[in-house]
Amino acid sequence: MVATGGDHKVTPAELFFDLVFVYAITQVTALMAAAPSPMRVVGAMTVLALLWWCWCCFAWLGNVVRADAGALFAVLVTVMTVVFVVSLAVPEVFADAPGGLSAPLVFVVCYGLVRVLHLASYWISSPGDTALHVTLRRTALLSVLPPLVLLLVGCAYDGTPRLALWLCAVAIDYGGIYVTGASGWRVSSPGHFSERHGLIVIIALGESIVAMGVGVGVFPLTVAVIAACAAGLLLSAGLWALYFRRFGELPEHRLAALEGDERTRFARDVYTFLHLPLVAGVVLTALGMKKVLAQVADTGHYDLAEPLHGTVAWSLTGGVGVFLLGAAAIVLRSSGRRPTALLVGGVLGLAAGPLVAVIPALPALALLAAGVTALVVLDGRGVARAADA
């Protein structure tokens, strides 16, 4: 394996690796859309957290070892195959279809294989790094093995018991990273690390656009459909602008200024943990956007005055709220600045579900897009004032 340097950039091999996660994120949205309910949303977010861990493992590894050289490329292709199988199982993890293999068991076994491949690749990449090897052993014993046992046990149950066991597994997995500590892990290139996470945000935003297209399906193209697509694209563009024009560069600069374990801890907090709400927020919003397009296009079953209902109504604005609160946490951790506009916008997004449920779907989407656009401008002014001060 070929070690990276401080000027390392994202390789085409890593972009190729990300392709399978485009499908994986799409499957998470499909899992919620098939039977929208609060329990199904929690289950989908649990699945997303496990998929996110698969992606993050190799984002860290690709920062210290070139992904397009030596044995790592073969490992990446293997992991892509395994994650693709994981993605195929996602729609049935909580409602396994009769016949064929057990989808929950396939999901868990393949997830465990990804984690094992990651640890083995890290071990081989640094044969003389004693600190890293100690951390890898702790990670395997505290953050990989116990969650895998809970995930496997969960496969023997249905419904709420399975979800409860899987939630416990995710909590132990994520919490175990703090127990094992930062010693041994490294971020060789802050630019590469930041770019990798920026690309996964783009993938999530791209999935929201795909969800709109899927929502339209085979329905006729109408003026209302075009208007809904325009509003959805404006909303996605607003979230893109918030990340790439307002706060996305801030953590990269902070990461570059740190060294050693401080850099590792910051990368863990801001990128591994706090970027997950950004992706989760976009996925939740994509569910709402998909349903808006479906209702607007399906004039045989819905009137244009029909609002979204229940969980889907909350997901449209609630997803944006999750995204904004994640963004606020990133700004706070990176600079210590209180991002008031992001915090207020996040809380309003989480609380706006009942309002969405009484407003026609298309106007609700348009108002949300306008609100996010206004927030981009408002937060930009706040950043400018902070810089002048």
Side-chain angles (χ1 to χ4, degrees):
M1 296 187 181
V2 180
T4 62
D7 58 348
H8 179 53
K9 300 297 182 183
V10 174
T11 64
E14 289 170 298
L15 298 177
F16 182 55
F17 177 74
D18 285 352
L19 291 178
V20 73
F21 286 94
V22 176
Y23 180 60
I25 293 174
T26 301
Q27 290 287 75
V28 173
T29 302
L31 176 63
M32 292 186 290
S37 69
M39 191 68 70
R40 182 56 65 93
V41 168
V42 173
M45 292 300 100
T46 302
V47 170
L48 180 63
L50 295 170
L51 291 170
W52 174 254
W53 220 232
C54 293
W55 183 86
C56 285
C57 286
F58 287 89
W60 280 83
L61 181 59
N63 190 262
V64 295
V65 181
R66 290 193 64 91
D68 57 352
L72 184 56
F73 180 70
V75 173
L76 285 181
V77 174
T78 302
V79 171
M80 285 180 67
T81 304
V82 176
V83 172
F84 189 74
V85 175
V86 167
S87 303
L88 291 173
V90 165
E92 297 180 30
V93 290
F94 297 113
D96 194 18
L101 300 173
S102 168
L105 185 60
V106 170
F107 180 93
V108 172
V109 170
C110 290
Y111 170 76
L113 181 57
V114 171
R115 298 300 302 274
V116 170
L117 285 171
H118 166 252
L119 293 176
S121 299
Y122 241 116
W123 187 286
I124 296 170
S125 70
S126 303
D129 193 333
T130 304
L132 175 61
H133 288 184
V134 170
T135 301
L136 289 174
R137 283 193 291 267
R138 288 177 182 169
T139 301
L141 292 174
L142 298 176
S143 187
V144 175
L145 185 58
L148 278 177
V149 171
L150 287 174
L151 291 172
L152 286 170
V153 172
C155 293
Y157 296 90
D158 293 318
T160 302
R162 178 182 297 168
L163 178 56
L165 287 166
W166 283 21
L167 278 171
C168 290
V170 169
I172 293 172
D173 201 350
Y174 278 63
I177 296 302
Y178 283 95
V179 175
T180 56
S183 179
W185 304 113
R186 299 187 305 279
V187 178
S188 299
S189 172
H192 170 274
F193 204 71
S194 177
E195 187 179 2
R196 289 292 288 126
H197 288 78
L199 288 171
I200 201 68
V201 171
I202 289 180
I203 285 174
L205 290 171
E207 193 280 329
S208 70
I209 296 172
V210 171
M212 288 194 295
V214 172
V216 173
V218 296
F219 299 110
L221 184 63
T222 63
V223 172
V225 168
I226 293 174
C229 287
L233 284 170
L234 180 61
L235 174 56
S236 295
L239 297 178
W240 177 90
L242 279 172
Y243 184 86
F244 290 98
R245 296 287 180 85
R246 292 292 174 257
F247 69 88
E249 292 184 359
L250 183 63
E252 180 182 352
H253 295 158
R254 178 64 176 159
L255 185 66
L258 297 173
E259 297 290 343
D261 288 350
E262 282 298 315
R263 174 183 284 186
T264 300
R265 281 190 286 268
F266 182 85
R268 175 199 63 196
D269 295 346
V270 169
Y271 288 100
T272 299
F273 284 93
L274 294 181
H275 271 62
L276 176 56
L278 304 186
V279 175
V282 173
V283 171
L284 288 168
T285 301
L287 172 64
M289 293 165 66
K290 179 178 182 177
K291 291 298 184 179
V292 169
L293 265 294
Q295 288 191 190
V296 170
D298 188 3
T299 55
H301 294 88
Y302 299 97
D303 187 86
L304 286 179
E306 180 82 12
L308 296 176
H309 298 287
T311 301
V312 175
W314 174 83
S315 73
L316 182 65
T317 59
V320 172
V322 171
F323 182 97
L324 296 178
L325 291 178
I330 289 172
V331 173
L332 185 63
R333 179 68 171 85
S334 301
S335 66
R337 175 175 68 87
R338 284 189 203 169
T340 304
L342 293 175
L343 287 170
V344 172
V347 172
L348 291 177
L350 290 176
L355 181 61
V356 175
V358 297
I359 298 176
L362 178 53
L365 178 58
L367 287 171
L368 180 60
V372 171
T373 301
L375 184 60
V376 172
V377 176
L378 183 62
D379 188 65
R381 291 177 179 175
V383 171
R385 285 195 297 269
D388 291 340

